Amino acid sequence: MIQLHPRKQGNPGNYAALAPAVTLGVISAFEGFAEDFLATALYARGSSLGQIAAKVSMNNPTVAVFRDKLIGEFNCISSKIGVGFALDVWDPPPVGKSWWRQVQIPWSDAVSQADGWMQVRHCLTHGLASGWRTEHWPGPLKGKATASSVLRRMPSGTHSLALHGAITCARIYVTCAAHLADLAASEVAEKLDWSQVPEFPLLDVKPAS
C-alpha cells in the first residue's frame, strides 16, 4: 500500500486513505503474531495445549503487553530486552513546519510510542477518527497513552496521521516484534527468519522492474 502513495508534498487527495489502512493492517498483523508466536514458543518449550490456551489470550496487545507476556514465560530474557536496540523513525514536524525529521529512538521510546499508535488504532476502529484528514482525536480509550502523542500537530490544535506517521508505526511494531521474538526463540533453541517481512523503509524505495 505504501508503494501506491505518490510521496509528493502537498494534499495527497484520495491517497490519504492509505495511511490509516497501513496503520490498521500492521497493528492487526502484530496482534495476531503476538498470540501465534507465544503459542508456538510455549509448544516448543513443552507446554500442553490446555496450558497454551490458558496463556495466549490477549486483547489488543501492545508491544508492552507482548513484552510482559514473554517475560512471564521466559523470565531470563528480561535483562536482554532493549539492549543494543535503536530504530530510525520519522519525527513529526513542529507546528507550522512541513518537513519530517529522521530520528533514532531507543527501546523505551519505541514501547511508549507503540502505546500511542494503539490508541490511533482504537480511534480508527471505533470510527472516532477517519485518519485521512486533519481532525480532533479523542483521549485514551484504554490506559494513559494518547493518539495525539504520535500524530502531527496542526496550528488549529487538531492532528493528522499522514503516511510518514504510518511508516513510523509500522517500523515500531515490526521491529519491536522481531526483537522480542528473537530473544524468546533463543530460549527454545530456535532462530527466526524475518527475510519475508516488509522492511517499511523511511524513504521511497521503488521495487525493481
Side-chain angles (χ1 to χ4, degrees), residues 157-174:
T158 56
H159 292 78
S160 65
L161 173 51
L163 185 68
H164 286 74
I167 291 172
T168 290
C169 172
R171 290 177 66 82
I172 287 173
Y173 268 93
V174 170

Side-chain angles (χ1 to χ4, degrees), residues 23-102:
T23 302
L24 287 172
V26 167
I27 295 182
S28 295
F30 170 84
E31 292 172 341
F33 169 80
E35 288 196 352
D36 288 348
F37 177 81
L38 180 57
T40 302
L42 292 175
Y43 180 78
R45 193 181 63 179
S47 297
S48 69
L49 294 181
Q51 291 172 327
I52 293 172
K55 293 180 177 181
V56 299
S57 179
M58 289 181 270
N59 185 26
N60 302 135
T62 59
V63 169
V65 170
F66 186 43
R67 174 202 63 199
D68 293 345
K69 281 280 189 177
L70 290 178
I71 290 175
E73 300 301 328
F74 305 95
N75 184 258
C76 54
I77 72 171
S78 179
S79 62
K80 304 175 185 177
I81 293 176
V83 175
F85 182 96
L87 178 63
D88 292 328
V89 298
W90 289 118
D91 188 39
V95 176
K97 303 296 182 180
S98 60
W99 295 105
W100 293 69
R101 186 169 61 101
Q102 181 178 331

Side-chain angles (χ1 to χ4, degrees), residues 94-146:
V95 176
K97 303 296 182 180
S98 60
W99 295 105
W100 293 69
R101 186 169 61 101
Q102 181 178 331
V103 297
Q104 190 173 83
I105 59 174
W107 173 256
S108 58
D109 287 355
V111 173
S112 62
Q113 288 189 34
D115 285 347
W117 284 111
M118 182 58 75
Q119 293 300 324
V120 172
R121 178 248 190 234
H122 289 326
C123 291
L124 294 174
T125 302
H126 294 288
L128 303 177
S130 69
W132 54 266
R133 58 189 173 86
T134 297
E135 57 198 322
H136 290 283
W137 294 72
L141 302 183
K142 295 180 181 179
K144 298 180 180 180
T146 62

Side-chain angles (χ1 to χ4, degrees), residues 138-155:
L141 302 183
K142 295 180 181 179
K144 298 180 180 180
T146 62
S148 59
S149 67
V150 294
L151 299 175
R152 179 182 180 184
R153 188 159 63 96
M154 308 302 285

